[in-house]
Amino acid sequence: MIEVENLTRVFRTYKKQPGFWGGVKGLVKRDFEETRAADNVSFSIKEGEFVGFLGPNGAGKTTTLKMLSGLIYPTSGHARVAGFDPSKRENAYRRLFALVLGQKNQLWWDLPALESFFLLRAIYGLDHKEWQATLDELVALLNVSHKLNVQVRELSLGERMKMELIAALLHRPRVLFLDEPTIGLDVVSQKNVREFLSSYNRRYKTTILLTSHYMADISQLCERVIVIDHGKKIYDGELARISGAGARQRIIKFKPRPGLSGEKAAFPADWKPLHGEAKLCEDGEILLHVPSEHVTAVCQQILTQGAVDDITIQDVPLEDIISEIFSRGATRA
């Protein structure tokens, strides 16, 4: 469904010197710098796949989605989506995909969402019966029937995002690009949006490319992830492989029991585990990163060292694993 080969986008920006005279000098001679927002990115996505597109701020995720949507042209390389070249912006292609930007609105701010839905029906030339059936289904799935006639500006952030998703899906796109669809939403709204997207993907086999900084979105929706950093792809594969990399370590948390007055502390400030690294937290807890094969030995060391109020063993969070991949730069996971 999506084929991307050596896609590159270079932005050329003017570097203004500070102060009044810096502005005057800029009238005569200007200095520019080039930023490679996407740098020879290549990947392919099959029809019906739900793929996570990850990277730190400024990595080039949104730029790539905009190139796949035809909003900006690539500097070099090419892409094909369902056989179309996005940069040609053909009407047939624009009927085939939808783009949802979590920080931008496509609905009219001062009108009820329903008015915008009527407008979209006219823009896409949708049959009234099919449009109504689709609208009824989406409204029921997202439970927003009581908000259709409320001005968009009066909706909460979660309600507005649900309306944005309805607007994007009214024409039944085969490809859906989602850029931070749950940004700023509360926990309940995030959960509702995730459940809707998962159900919609299973039902209609829509190809979805999702960017998000919330790892809960990625872990619950995507089996495959593409990771880019500084415009370069550094990982493309199963999410389970990344999670498996984290399984090589465990996190042990414990809180030493305060000793009686005058007693020597059971866990001195320079205490070190037999294996792994220790960190003292502000609340008095000690946090350890320990190789999985040495967890038992370290727990025995802790319990023989002194009394503890609580001890827990947990997996390394997915956020930490992804952060480590970013820090490794171009090294593949």
Side-chain angles (χ1 to χ4, degrees):
M1 181 59 74
I2 301 175
E3 291 284 347
V4 173
E5 185 174 349
N6 298 323
L7 204 61
T8 300
R9 173 67 189 196
V10 178
F11 290 101
R12 189 166 179 257
T13 55
Y14 163 54
K15 293 176 60 178
K16 180 186 179 301
Q17 298 299 319
F20 173 76
W21 287 112
V24 173
K25 291 177 182 178
L27 296 174
V28 180
K29 181 182 178 182
R30 293 195 167 195
D31 296 324
F32 294 88
E33 67 177 5
E34 291 187 346
T35 302
R36 302 180 77 85
D39 191 359
N40 290 308
V41 175
S42 299
F43 58 84
S44 62
I45 299 176
K46 297 178 182 178
E47 184 173 7
E49 274 196 283
F50 203 136
V51 180
F53 199 35
L54 306 181
N57 291 331
K61 305 184 300 296
T62 302
T63 298
T64 302
L65 292 188
K66 287 182 176 180
M67 285 190 286
L68 293 177
S69 304
L71 294 178
I72 59 176
Y73 294 101
T75 304
S76 63
H78 64 271
R80 306 286 293 181
V81 181
F84 291 92
D85 182 350
S87 63
K88 293 183 178 180
R89 302 182 180 179
E90 300 172 70
N91 284 336
Y93 175 61
R94 288 189 282 185
R95 294 176 182 274
L96 181 141
F97 80 94
L99 171 66
V100 177
L101 300 174
Q103 301 186 63
K104 294 186 178 180
N105 299 317
Q106 64 174 317
L107 301 175
W108 286 86
W109 191 250
D110 293 314
L111 296 178
L114 186 59
E115 298 292 331
S116 292
F117 298 157
F118 278 118
L119 177 61
L120 289 169
R121 181 178 72 84
I123 290 174
Y124 286 103
L126 303 175
D127 177 78
H128 186 273
K129 288 185 178 180
E130 292 182 3
W131 170 85
Q132 189 66 58
T134 302
L135 178 61
D136 291 342
E137 178 185 3
L138 295 173
V139 166
L141 285 171
L142 289 169
N143 191 28
V144 289
S145 58
H146 59 297
K147 296 292 184 177
L148 288 176
N149 291 302
V150 177
Q151 282 181 303
V152 170
R153 65 191 304 170
E154 301 296 334
L155 298 174
S156 69
L157 186 58
E159 292 165 347
R160 195 157 66 244
M161 181 50 60
K162 291 178 181 180
M163 297 301 184
E164 293 284 347
L165 287 172
I166 292 174
L169 297 173
L170 277 174
H171 63 291
R172 295 289 189 200
R174 294 172 58 194
V175 180
L176 181 59
F177 300 120
L178 298 173
D179 186 30
E180 304 280 359
T182 59
I183 188 169
L185 303 188
D186 59 64
V187 175
V188 175
S189 296
Q190 287 181 22
K191 180 175 181 292
N192 291 338
V193 169
R194 284 196 294 265
E195 290 177 348
F196 167 75
L197 291 173
S198 178
S199 173
Y200 192 89
N201 172 252
R202 288 195 307 269
R203 183 176 303 187
Y204 296 104
K205 304 299 180 184
T206 304
T207 305
I208 301 178
L209 187 58
L210 165 71
T211 77
S212 179
H213 288 296
Y214 297 116
M215 289 302 105
D217 293 347
I218 303 300
S219 61
Q220 294 181 31
L221 293 172
C222 307
E223 294 183 356
R224 173 189 169 193
V225 294
I226 298 171
V227 183
I228 66 171
D229 190 19
H230 293 92
K232 290 184 176 291
K233 184 180 74 173
I234 60 176
Y235 178 81
D236 183 356
E238 296 179 357
L239 179 63
R241 283 184 56 197
I242 294 181
S243 301
R248 293 195 290 268
Q249 279 201 337
R250 290 288 187 273
I251 294 177
I252 301 176
K253 286 183 179 180
F254 69 95
K255 191 167 188 178
R257 182 174 298 170
L260 298 176
S261 178
E263 287 186 359
K264 183 180 178 181
F267 292 88
D270 59 350
W271 179 83
K272 293 183 179 180
L274 293 172
H275 306 278
E277 299 177 354
K279 177 184 177 183
L280 179 62
C281 302
E282 292 183 358
D283 59 359
E285 275 192 330
I286 297 179
L287 177 68
L288 310 176
H289 280 80
V290 179
S292 298
E293 63 271 21
H294 298 305
V295 168
T296 301
V298 172
C299 287
Q300 290 175 343
Q301 178 196 9
I302 293 170
L303 295 175
T304 56
Q305 176 77 24
V308 297
D309 281 337
D310 187 27
I311 184 169
T312 60
I313 304 171
Q314 62 188 46
D315 295 331
V316 178
L318 183 59
E319 291 91 337
D320 293 349
I321 303 171
I322 296 294
S323 177
E324 183 181 349
I325 293 176
F326 294 161
S327 66
R328 291 206 302 262
T331 303
R332 286 183 176 272

